[in-house]
């Protein structure tokens, strides 16, 4: 899936780079490294593939592009979300590669 996406980007004349240094239980360093990778590569968007951890880190990297505060200044408490510089965020596409279990049908009694 990722190979096909990279091929499509190249065929469209767009650049590509792959950042995959994400732990199964991500830590702040995964986000910091991703932001550094994004900036060093002069990227202009993120396509995140994966399950929960990979998508969460991809979206958090997108959030942190252009922020001047550290990650933990946006912790989910009180009104800390208002600290986000929305205009500094990266464009993001998230592609889940896991699926939820099929819903169970109701069984008549």
């Amino acid at each position: 899936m990722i190979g096909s996406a990279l091929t499509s980007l190249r065929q469209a004349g767009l650049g590509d780079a792959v950042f995959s240094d994400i732990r199964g239980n991500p830590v702040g360093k995964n986000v910091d490294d991703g932001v550094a990778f994004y900036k060093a590569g002069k990227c202009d968007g993120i396509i995140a593939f994966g399950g929960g951890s990979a998508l969460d880190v991809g979206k958090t990297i997108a959030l942190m592009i252009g922020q001047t505060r550290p990650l933990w200044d946006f912790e989910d408490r009180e009104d800390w979300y208002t600290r986000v510089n929305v205009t500094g965020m990266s464009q993001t596409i998230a592609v889940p590669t896991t699926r939820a279990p099929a819903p169970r049908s109701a069984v008549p009694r």
Side-chain angles (χ1 to χ4, degrees):
M1 180 184 302
I2 294 170
S4 294
L6 292 170
T7 298
S8 294
L9 290 170
R10 290 180 197 125
Q11 288 174 345
L14 301 172
D16 64 79
V18 176
F19 175 76
S20 61
D21 190 13
I22 300 169
R23 293 176 45 180
N25 289 315
V27 295
K29 182 173 178 4
N30 298 144
V31 174
D32 293 341
D33 291 349
V35 169
F37 181 89
Y38 182 101
K39 290 180 177 180
K42 298 181 176 149
C43 301
D44 59 4
I46 294 173
I47 304 173
F49 291 88
S53 295
L55 293 183
D56 288 347
V57 172
K59 292 183 293 184
T60 305
I61 292 168
L63 167 76
M64 293 307 297
I65 300 302
Q67 303 302 321
T68 57
R69 294 175 168 271
L71 172 63
W72 303 113
D73 275 5
F74 305 111
E75 189 174 351
D76 186 19
R77 39 183 309 189
E78 291 93 37
D79 65 349
W80 288 17
Y81 69 92
T82 62
R83 299 173 175 181
V84 172
N85 173 7
V86 177
T87 61
M89 295 171 60
S90 170
Q91 297 181 52
T92 308
I93 298 170
V95 182
T97 59
T98 56
R99 71 170 189 88
R104 293 187 172 175
S105 299
V107 179
R109 295 183 186 215

